């Protein structure tokens, strides 16, 4: 018997083939069903998502362990998702959430970031005053390394994620000073790789999450122009695959969460003139377009309004960030990404997921919804405007609240926090 000499490919290649087959099949089904069925398939299942999220929040109570570093993250993922959907929690859940987060005494930068963002996402006269800025500042100084970077916890790892969480928290709480800023930019700059993306630490592989964290931190410290932005843009652009979604690293699988980690990079590049004086030239949308089946899909050129030469409109966000809006096409294919999120990442029962065959979870629900919001609002000239109908895939009821791309907090909650911490 002849041995099997047929090449089998690597594990990643086989998994990629399976993902493409799954997505192909679903997109083919979508393309062949009647229009009314297409509308139903593209509808954001708001009610089911809210019910799924509320069930998670209702776990909070005395028995909900406050020593697990994941718990404040779960609060943030759920509360931010609720805010994106335009939903508020009732007074009892609000009190329980604030009380729970006050018991989370684990000194860890990621946990601190999650807790602060959760309380800001909750908003209101009880939540914001519950943040002890003096203690947070003392903790941030303790995590500052002589190199200029930050450690995640006492004797913990130093990486770009630690730098971003520290600078983000300090900025939004209005406690960012020269001591915290010193040499952070030098460390992040040392993590930009030959590919153009940013790694977690010097010498590692470029990664979508670290690229977002590095760029966002450099914006907050007003040093983004030190990065090789052309190379960074090129790397992120080519992370959008034929499925329409983004991968986190070169030659890896698509994952719904990178709709924010990678898509959010484009929101930063478009909105903040502290990075570059002019918006970068849009890539040829056909290069990033999902090639599996484009039936019933709005193209990027269909969504564009005007010639992209409109005047700039700037409004101050905080000490380091200034919005600059232009009527220009986004640097990624927002319609293809929305299609991936609504058809492949959305669980019709509620919640969102990495990809088909994967279970839903709060992490992916948070970042898939954040990425969907980025898509819908990526064409806007003014942050107070509503998205153009043609920029929203599916029924217009799919529109989510806009986010502040640096902090990934719904804009109105960000403005509330900014005003509160500016005067206190």
């Amino acid at each position: 018997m002849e041995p099997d000499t047929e090449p089998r490919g690597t594990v990643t290649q086989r998994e990629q083939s399976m993902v493409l087959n799954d997505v192909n099949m679903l997109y083919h089904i979508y393309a062949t069903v009647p229009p009314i069925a297409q509308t139903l398939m593209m509808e954001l299942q708001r009610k089911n998502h809210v019910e799924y999220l509320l069930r998670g929040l209702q776990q909070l109570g005395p028995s909900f362990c406050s020593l697990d570093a994941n718990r404040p993250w779960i609060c943030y993922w759920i509360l931010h998702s609720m805010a994106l959907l335009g939903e508020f929690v009732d007074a009892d859940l609000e009190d329980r959430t604030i009380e729970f987060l006050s018991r989370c005494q684990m000194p860890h930068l990621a946990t601190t970031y999650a807790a602060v963002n959760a309380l800001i996402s909750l908003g209101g006269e009880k939540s914001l005053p519950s943040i002890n800025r003096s203690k947070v500042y003392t903790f941030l100084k303790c995590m500052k390394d002589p190199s200029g970077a930050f450690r995640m916890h006492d004797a913990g790892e130093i990486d770009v994620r630690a730098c971003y969480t520290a600078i983000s928290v300090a900025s939004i709480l209005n406690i960012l000073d020269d001591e915290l800023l010193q040499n952070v930019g030098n460390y992040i700059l040392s993590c930009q790789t030959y590919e153009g993306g940013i790694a977690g630490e010097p010498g590692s592989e470029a990664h979508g999450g670290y690229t977002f964290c590095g760029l966002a931190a450099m914006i907050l410290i007003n040093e983004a122009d030190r990065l090789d932005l052309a190379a960074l843009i090129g790397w992120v652009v080519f992370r959008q695959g034929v499925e329409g979604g983004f991968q986190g690293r070169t030659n890896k699988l698509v994952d719904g969460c990178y709709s924010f980690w990678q898509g959010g990079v484009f929101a930063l590049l478009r909105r903040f003139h502290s990075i570059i004086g002019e918006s970068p030239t849009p890539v040829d949308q056909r290069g990033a377009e999902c090639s599996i089946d484009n039936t019933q899909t709005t193209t990027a050129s269909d969504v564009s309004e005007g010639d992209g030469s409109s005047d700039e409109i700037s409004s101050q966000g905080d000490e380091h960030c200034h919005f600059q809006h232009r009527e220009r096409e986004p640097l990624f294919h927002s319609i293809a990404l929305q299609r991936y999120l609504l058809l492949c990442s959305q669980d019709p029962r509620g919640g969102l997921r990495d990809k088909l065959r994967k279970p839903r979870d709060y992490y992916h629900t948070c970042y898939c919804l954040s990425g969907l919001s980025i898509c819908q609002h990526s064409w806007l000239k003014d942050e107070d405007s509503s998205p153009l109908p043609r920029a929203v895939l599916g029924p217009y009821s799919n529109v989510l609240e806009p986010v502040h791309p640096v902090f990934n907090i719904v804009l109105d909650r960000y403005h509330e926090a900014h005003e509160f911490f500016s005067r206190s």
Side-chain angles (χ1 to χ4, degrees):
M1 184 176 178
E2 289 288 330
D4 184 5
T5 58
E6 194 71 26
R8 295 180 179 275
T10 65
V11 171
T12 299
Q13 287 172 329
R14 295 196 297 271
E15 290 178 344
Q16 175 65 20
S17 178
M18 182 180 69
V19 170
L20 282 175
N21 287 338
D22 288 346
V23 175
N24 253 323
M25 184 178 298
L26 185 55
Y27 285 0
H28 177 72
I29 292 171
Y30 171 77
T32 55
V33 298
I36 189 169
Q38 290 181 337
T39 300
L40 291 173
M41 291 177 70
M42 280 294 180
E43 185 176 359
L44 184 67
Q45 301 298 320
R46 286 178 173 271
K47 180 181 177 182
N48 293 347
H49 296 322
V50 171
E51 289 176 354
Y52 169 69
L53 294 165
L54 284 175
R55 284 196 298 271
L57 265 190
Q58 286 163 356
Q59 299 176 53
L60 298 180
S63 61
F64 196 69
C65 178
S66 59
L67 296 178
D68 186 336
N70 286 328
R71 303 311 189 184
W73 277 110
I74 292 173
C75 287
Y76 166 59
W77 297 332
I78 292 175
L79 290 170
H80 179 53
S81 297
M82 294 281 288
L84 282 164
L85 292 163
E87 297 289 332
F88 294 87
V89 300
D90 61 32
D92 177 60
L93 265 180
E94 178 183 358
D95 290 342
R96 286 164 57 188
T97 303
I98 295 171
E99 192 275 332
F100 164 72
L101 288 171
S102 71
R103 292 188 284 111
C104 294
Q105 301 297 321
M106 182 174 289
H108 192 285
L109 270 177
T111 308
T112 300
Y113 168 88
V116 168
N117 274 19
L119 289 166
I120 291 173
S121 296
L122 195 58
E125 59 184 19
K126 296 180 182 177
S127 180
L128 297 180
S130 72
I131 301 173
N132 189 321
R133 292 194 299 165
S134 176
K135 288 186 177 180
V136 171
Y137 179 74
T138 299
F139 170 63
L140 294 179
K141 285 204 301 182
C142 290
M143 294 302 101
K144 182 75 172 176
D145 186 76
S147 68
F150 287 85
R151 293 186 179 275
M152 290 302 291
H153 56 87
D154 187 27
E157 68 272 27
I158 296 173
D159 60 24
V160 169
R161 179 186 48 156
C163 294
Y164 166 68
T165 51
I167 296 300
S168 175
V169 166
S171 177
I172 204 163
L173 296 184
N174 197 26
I175 55 176
L176 187 60
D177 63 9
D178 290 341
E179 185 175 351
L180 295 177
L181 287 171
Q182 187 174 10
N183 290 329
V184 176
N186 291 340
Y187 178 79
I188 295 173
L189 191 63
S190 73
C191 295
Q192 187 169 22
T193 76
Y194 71 93
E195 290 186 278
I198 298 173
E201 57 187 13
S204 294
E205 183 182 11
H207 184 281
Y210 291 117
T211 298
F212 173 87
C213 289
L215 178 59
M218 292 294 266
I219 288 168
L220 287 172
I221 66 175
N222 204 25
E223 295 184 24
D225 56 350
R226 297 180 63 194
L227 294 166
D228 184 343
L229 291 170
L232 188 149
I233 291 168
W235 181 80
V236 180
V237 162
F238 283 99
R239 301 285 70 75
Q240 188 170 23
V242 294
E243 307 92 342
F246 281 98
Q247 60 183 183
R249 292 177 287 160
T250 304
N251 293 326
K252 295 297 182 181
L253 302 179
V254 65
D255 185 332
C257 73
Y258 292 111
S259 60
F260 176 77
W261 297 122
Q262 302 283 33
V265 167
F266 296 117
L268 297 176
L269 289 168
R270 278 180 56 83
R271 285 178 173 264
F272 291 92
H273 71 69
S274 57
I275 309 176
I276 38 181
E278 298 228 349
S279 294
T281 303
V283 297
D284 183 351
Q285 289 284 348
R286 292 170 296 178
E289 188 170 351
C290 178
S291 61
I292 295 178
D293 190 315
N294 290 316
T295 306
Q296 302 293 329
T297 298
T298 308
T299 63
S301 59
D302 291 331
V303 186
S304 179
E305 275 201 350
D307 61 3
S309 60
S310 57
D311 294 336
E312 300 166 4
I313 298 179
S314 300
S315 60
Q316 185 166 339
D318 59 38
E319 181 180 356
H320 298 284
C321 300
H322 302 274
F323 281 111
Q324 179 187 45
H325 305 279
R326 296 172 177 269
E327 288 182 349
R328 295 201 178 192
E329 294 181 0
L331 298 177
F332 65 104
H333 197 304
S334 64
I335 294 297
L337 180 53
Q338 288 179 69
R339 180 172 57 177
Y340 178 81
L341 291 169
L342 292 168
L343 291 182
C344 302
S345 290
Q346 179 171 225
D347 186 328
R349 303 169 302 162
L352 289 96
R353 58 198 171 198
D354 167 351
K355 59 177 69 67
L356 295 168
R357 300 183 189 236
K358 295 287 186 178
R360 60 186 176 175
D361 58 62
Y362 299 122
Y363 167 82
H364 283 92
T365 299
C366 171
Y367 291 107
C368 288
L369 289 177
S370 299
L372 188 58
S373 173
I374 290 288
C375 288
Q376 295 168 345
H377 297 271
S378 61
W379 304 84
L380 293 182
K381 176 181 176 182
D382 188 329
E383 68 180 54
D384 295 322
S385 301
S386 298
L388 298 168
R390 288 179 295 164
V392 178
L393 190 60
Y396 198 74
S397 59
N398 284 356
V399 172
L400 297 168
E401 296 295 315
V403 298
H404 191 302
V406 167
F407 304 104
N408 198 21
I409 294 171
V410 166
L411 264 181
D412 64 354
R413 309 292 169 85
Y414 163 76
H415 289 309
E416 179 188 23
H418 177 67
E419 181 181 355
F420 178 84
F421 293 120
S422 293
R423 66 172 185 261
S424 58

